[in-house]
Amino acid sequence: MKQFNLVVIVILLCSNIILAQHKGNYNQITQDISRQNILTAGNAAIYNPTVQQQINKVLHPSNVLTVDVKALQNVSATTYTAIFNLSQIGPTAEKTNSLMKQRIDSIKMRLNANGISQKNMAIDVISFVPVYEVEVTKKLFSKTYTEVPKGFKLQQNIHIQFKKTSQFETILEACAKSEVYNLVKVDYFIENIQDVYKNLQDELLKLIEEKKTYYNILGFDLSEYNIAIADDKYCYFPKDFYQSYQAYNSVSFEALKKDKGITSAQKQTSYYYQPLTYESYDVVINPSILEPVVQIGMNIKLIYTPKPKEKEETITKTEIDHKYYVISPNGTIDVKELNTKK
């Protein structure tokens, strides 16, 4: 029986380890999930309180109709541009420029051998300035400190354009062999962005027609409504969505081996790509992505409000009843009413 209990415990521990592997490390430092904090609904465990709020959300009926549709498209970049910074010092201006040229020519030669030609590279000169040092002059009763030029410092950026992410490893290797390690950034470019917006617009118009048909089936005649509209579009690049986290554990294993107590180790900062999530979108084009992409979105919101009903004007007609009398010409008082209604 004890052996059976031991097997069950081992299986449970293994299950927890497997689940932790799928969970990842990125939010480990922000929360520690305990069994007491888990909300339960029936036999299913629900931790996220947002889910509970959505399930128990109270709907408030209204005669104002809202059509709010959102679309997102993940677009792979057509071209990329990597920018590296180079810094070179030398005793003279000519020597400094010559040393910099040798490094850049070395990069161009290695990249050209791997299919990236010189027309896909550009040089951007940032600065070229003299470098000064302080020279101490000793006199009999004093010292003087004077700045004198000792050399020159040249700083340039090299822009390298490529079309496939697999080429980036070759670029890094070529730059590293020329002692260039400072990667400034990588820009993403896409062609015909208007075609992407047009595609999103077409998808949203289809959704709007489906919503209008849905409301018509429910008995709403949209011709009896006034319409207000708002729309928006946006474009986000991968650089906008990198987040960081630090490792949860910070214990030095070397201290444990030497039996000297627990020593805190420096936590490594890691970065990961976290694109826009899809829960708020009605349409997502190219949802499955393997590498960082450009995310382009469009929103359209329509509000239908009932047209005010026209009030019937009440016209009050006043009739004047005229009476006519005939008096005899001889002046007698005998007055007779003339009946004109016949």
Side-chain angles (χ1 to χ4, degrees), residues 16-17 19-34 47 243-250 267-268 270 272:
N16 290 334
I17 293 172
L19 290 175
Q21 288 175 344
H22 285 283
K23 183 175 180 294
N25 296 325
Y26 73 94
N27 64 349
Q28 187 69 24
I29 63 170
T30 59
Q31 58 188 7
D32 186 10
I33 300 174
S34 62
Y47 171 73
Q243 299 185 15
S244 63
Y245 72 94
Q246 286 185 327
Y248 180 69
N249 294 324
S250 59
K267 296 179 181 179
Q268 178 182 347
S270 302
Y272 65 97

Side-chain angles (χ1 to χ4, degrees), residues 39-89:
L39 300 177
T40 58
N43 295 325
I46 301 177
Y47 171 73
N48 192 344
T50 306
V51 177
Q52 289 282 20
Q53 294 176 5
Q54 184 63 36
I55 294 174
N56 300 318
K57 185 177 181 181
V58 178
L59 300 179
H60 301 281
S62 172
N63 63 344
V64 177
L65 307 180
T66 301
V67 178
D68 191 359
V69 289
K70 300 179 180 180
L72 181 72
Q73 183 166 341
N74 295 320
V75 183
S76 297
T78 309
T79 58
Y80 308 85
T81 299
I83 301 177
F84 291 85
N85 179 264
L86 298 82
S87 183
Q88 181 65 53
I89 60 174

Side-chain angles (χ1 to χ4, degrees), residues 85-102:
N85 179 264
L86 298 82
S87 183
Q88 181 65 53
I89 60 174
T92 63
E94 293 78 8
K95 184 64 175 179
T96 304
N97 188 52
S98 176
L99 292 173
M100 176 68 80
K101 188 175 183 301
Q102 289 177 16

Side-chain angles (χ1 to χ4, degrees), residues 321-328 333-342:
D321 189 8
H322 297 278
K323 293 184 178 181
Y324 300 91
Y325 297 90
V326 178
I327 301 175
S328 59
I333 304 176
D334 186 14
V335 179
K336 294 183 179 180
E337 181 180 354
L338 180 64
N339 188 2
T340 60
K341 295 182 179 181
K342 291 182 179 181

Side-chain angles (χ1 to χ4, degrees), residues 8-165:
V8 172
I9 293 172
V10 172
I11 292 174
L12 290 175
L13 289 175
C14 291
S15 300
N16 290 334
I17 293 172
I18 293 172
L19 290 175
Q21 288 175 344
H22 285 283
K23 183 175 180 294
N25 296 325
Y26 73 94
N27 64 349
Q28 187 69 24
I29 63 170
T30 59
Q31 58 188 7
D32 186 10
I33 300 174
S34 62
R35 295 182 185 274
Q36 289 79 9
N37 293 332
I38 295 177
L39 300 177
T40 58
N43 295 325
I46 301 177
Y47 171 73
N48 192 344
T50 306
V51 177
Q52 289 282 20
Q53 294 176 5
Q54 184 63 36
I55 294 174
N56 300 318
K57 185 177 181 181
V58 178
L59 300 179
H60 301 281
S62 172
N63 63 344
V64 177
L65 307 180
T66 301
V67 178
D68 191 359
V69 289
K70 300 179 180 180
L72 181 72
Q73 183 166 341
N74 295 320
V75 183
S76 297
T78 309
T79 58
Y80 308 85
T81 299
I83 301 177
F84 291 85
N85 179 264
L86 298 82
S87 183
Q88 181 65 53
I89 60 174
T92 63
E94 293 78 8
K95 184 64 175 179
T96 304
N97 188 52
S98 176
L99 292 173
M100 176 68 80
K101 188 175 183 301
Q102 289 177 16
R103 296 169 67 188
I104 292 178
D105 288 344
S106 174
I107 295 173
K108 290 181 177 180
M109 180 185 66
R110 290 188 174 95
L111 292 180
N112 190 59
N114 287 276
I116 300 176
S117 62
Q118 293 191 17
K119 69 177 183 180
N120 298 118
M121 288 174 267
I123 304 300
D124 181 18
V125 178
I126 305 300
S127 63
F128 192 26
V129 294
V131 179
Y132 294 90
E133 289 185 359
V134 177
E135 186 177 79
V136 181
T137 305
K138 294 183 181 181
K139 296 183 180 180
L140 182 60
F141 298 104
S142 64
K143 293 181 180 180
T144 59
Y145 300 87
T146 308
E147 283 189 342
V148 294
K150 292 295 183 180
F152 291 84
K153 182 178 181 179
L154 174 60
Q155 188 175 173
Q156 296 182 352
N157 286 344
I158 178 170
H159 298 225
I160 305 171
Q161 188 179 76
F162 57 101
K163 294 185 177 181
K164 299 179 181 179
T165 54

Side-chain angles (χ1 to χ4, degrees), residues 199-216:
N199 187 36
L200 290 172
Q201 188 181 66
D202 292 341
E203 293 294 331
L204 289 179
L205 289 176
K206 292 178 185 177
L207 276 177
I208 292 172
E209 289 302 318
E210 292 178 2
K211 293 265 187 178
K212 290 168 67 176
T213 303
Y214 170 70
Y215 285 132
N216 285 330

